[in-house]
Amino acid sequence: MNKTILITGTTSGVGAKIAYDYIEKGWNVIGFARGQSIFQQSNYKHFKVDIGNPHYLNDVFEQIGNIDILVNNAAVFKMKPFSQTSIDEIDDMIDINLKGAMYVTKFALQKMEKGSRIFFINSVAGLEELENQSAYCASKHGLTGFAGVLGEELRPRGIKVTSIHPGGIDTPLWSRDIPYPCGDVSKAIS
């Protein structure tokens, strides 16, 4: 029987790369994203869903069987002083980066057994205080705390939890509107 991995944020960047690698390995890959699928492989199933809205997730998870690995990867990012960050931008970062990961995990746990794994693609922003990233840091610090406590709670069930905190990654996130803060994005993690 093939194993199943569920990945959020599969339309670009890290989520797309993880999905591609697991599709190539022959896993059953389930992708969640707000955009359309970029994959057409038979072992990939895409759900166009906003993970920040839990009311739609229940219906989606009714269509999903057991999950061996969950990768909470979806995130949104804005880099600007807090005084210039809009209420909608704050809501979006907290709803996707923190609450969305919590909602997906809540539903996914009903489909996970002993030996399953949960990964949070977090950020160095979940460990540090980065200028012009206050709302993003708040969402990622919250995710760090959630993942740590969840790991302890799930230990008796034999489900392992890992929170990964990379620095900048060379993805489509960085643009003219959001320049890479360290200068040349090609020097970021590939």
Side-chain angles (χ1 to χ4, degrees), residues 141-172:
H141 273 264
L143 192 60
T144 298
F146 173 66
V149 174
L150 184 67
E152 292 303 317
E153 290 179 2
L154 294 178
R155 188 181 311 270
R157 284 185 56 186
I159 298 174
K160 293 183 181 178
V161 177
T162 303
S163 187
I164 301 167
H165 296 85
I169 301 173
D170 186 2
T171 70

Side-chain angles (χ1 to χ4, degrees), residues 89-155:
E89 289 169 334
I90 294 168
D91 284 347
D92 206 29
M93 282 185 269
I94 299 299
D95 287 349
I96 299 298
N97 302 357
L98 177 57
K99 290 167 55 179
M102 294 172 80
Y103 297 151
V104 170
T105 301
K106 178 80 171 161
F107 285 102
L109 280 171
Q110 300 168 22
K111 309 281 184 167
M112 301 180 90
E113 298 175 352
K114 183 177 183 175
S116 298
R117 298 286 309 259
I118 300 172
F119 291 91
F120 293 92
I121 307 300
N122 205 316
S123 169
V124 68
L127 302 173
E128 298 180 13
E129 295 81 32
L130 304 173
E131 188 175 358
N132 296 322
Q133 298 181 35
S134 54
Y136 183 72
C137 284
S139 71
K140 292 299 189 171
H141 273 264
L143 192 60
T144 298
F146 173 66
V149 174
L150 184 67
E152 292 303 317
E153 290 179 2
L154 294 178
R155 188 181 311 270

Side-chain angles (χ1 to χ4, degrees), residues 32-35 47-57 60 92 95-96 100 103-104:
F32 284 6
R34 292 191 280 190
F47 291 92
K48 186 175 176 186
V49 63
D50 180 351
I51 64 169
N53 188 334
H55 304 292
Y56 297 108
L57 288 174
V60 170
D92 206 29
D95 287 349
I96 299 298
Y103 297 151
V104 170

Side-chain angles (χ1 to χ4, degrees), residues 17-126:
K17 175 66 173 140
I18 295 169
Y20 176 80
D21 288 348
Y22 277 86
I23 289 167
E24 290 293 302
K25 290 178 182 180
W27 281 55
N28 295 318
V29 179
I30 300 167
F32 284 6
R34 292 191 280 190
Q36 297 295 330
S37 174
I38 62 169
F39 301 107
Q40 301 302 319
Q41 287 80 356
S42 61
N43 59 326
Y44 179 81
K45 181 156 180 77
H46 186 80
F47 291 92
K48 186 175 176 186
V49 63
D50 180 351
I51 64 169
N53 188 334
H55 304 292
Y56 297 108
L57 288 174
N58 188 51
D59 293 339
V60 170
F61 273 93
E62 286 181 1
Q63 303 172 56
I64 296 173
N66 283 350
I67 299 167
D68 298 289
I69 297 177
L70 168 61
V71 179
N72 283 295
N73 167 72
V76 293
F77 174 80
K78 294 289 180 192
M79 188 169 73
K80 57 175 69 172
F82 186 71
S83 62
Q84 296 174 19
T85 305
S86 72
I87 297 297
D88 287 343
E89 289 169 334
I90 294 168
D91 284 347
D92 206 29
M93 282 185 269
I94 299 299
D95 287 349
I96 299 298
N97 302 357
L98 177 57
K99 290 167 55 179
M102 294 172 80
Y103 297 151
V104 170
T105 301
K106 178 80 171 161
F107 285 102
L109 280 171
Q110 300 168 22
K111 309 281 184 167
M112 301 180 90
E113 298 175 352
K114 183 177 183 175
S116 298
R117 298 286 309 259
I118 300 172
F119 291 91
F120 293 92
I121 307 300
N122 205 316
S123 169
V124 68

